[in-house]
Amino acid sequence: MTRQQYEAISAPFRGEKRKSILLGANRGVTWLCYAAYPVLLIALALLRDRRFFWALGVPAVSFAVLSLVRSKLNFPRPYQVLEITPLIPKNTQGKSMPSRHVFSIFVIAMTFLWVLPWAGVVMLALGALLGLVRVIGGVHFPRDVLVGAACGVLCGLVGYWGLARLF
């Protein structure tokens, strides 16, 4: 993505009112998905559902591995490369790829898809929205959110439809 491409996709959100919608979507989608996950875990625990340990372990292990890989890759963020002011306030240097926000929502979505499919589909849609918001907001390149989403889906497929079926 070039600076001109970023300016073009972010232009509709440069006014205060539309910027607040973008920031609200960033916070709201993140909060909703992160709040729904512990509710799912509590429900599984209360029901003594054996999937509880997988629903806890797959995202936790996946998040730790992804964080390690991301810190080793240490890709720069759009505002570093393109010399822009992001619409989503952030000053972190590097660690752009893959997007952990998007990864987290997608691996949580896969958890929901495994336990409660209709909710998983909703979460996947929210993850796609968050990815778009993070790119428009100037804190990730499109490749960052695409790789984050793909890693979240892959971890869910391997963890829930691969390993969990073996045990």
Side-chain angles (χ1 to χ4, degrees):
M1 175 166 50
T2 65
R3 182 183 179 129
Q4 292 77 18
Q5 290 170 324
Y6 174 72
E7 295 296 337
I9 65 167
S10 65
F13 298 93
R14 296 238 167 244
E16 283 305 310
K17 190 172 188 175
R18 289 190 177 167
K19 181 179 175 181
S20 68
I21 292 169
L22 185 78
L23 294 173
N26 184 57
R27 278 190 298 269
V29 169
T30 301
W31 182 89
L32 177 65
C33 292
Y34 290 174
Y37 177 59
V39 171
L40 176 66
L41 291 177
I42 291 167
L44 290 172
L46 291 174
L47 294 170
R48 297 183 184 197
D49 189 316
R50 71 175 189 88
R51 294 176 294 180
F52 168 80
F53 296 104
W54 288 98
L56 179 65
V58 169
V61 170
S62 300
F63 184 83
V65 170
L66 183 103
S67 295
L68 180 64
V69 168
R70 185 173 94 146
S71 70
K72 296 294 182 195
L73 293 174
N74 201 26
F75 278 63
R77 292 183 177 269
Y79 52 82
Q80 293 175 267
V81 175
L82 306 177
E83 297 179 4
I84 58 170
T85 301
L87 294 175
I88 296 173
K90 192 155 184 80
N91 58 14
T92 303
Q93 300 297 301
K95 298 180 185 169
S96 184
M97 205 273 292
S99 167
R100 257 193 333 202
H101 273 83
V102 173
F103 164 79
S104 297
I105 290 181
F106 272 83
V107 78
I108 289 168
M110 295 303 287
T111 306
F112 271 92
L113 201 60
W114 185 54
V115 175
L116 199 61
W118 69 266
V121 171
V122 171
M123 291 286 212
L124 289 170
L126 289 172
L129 174 62
L130 184 68
L132 184 62
V133 165
R134 305 288 289 173
V135 170
I136 292 169
V139 295
H140 284 293
F141 287 106
R143 63 139 202 256
D144 304 339
V145 299
L146 291 172
V147 171
C151 288
V153 169
L154 183 62
C155 288
L157 289 173
V158 170
Y160 300 123
W161 286 276
L163 297 175
R165 292 194 183 238
L166 295 175
F167 297 97

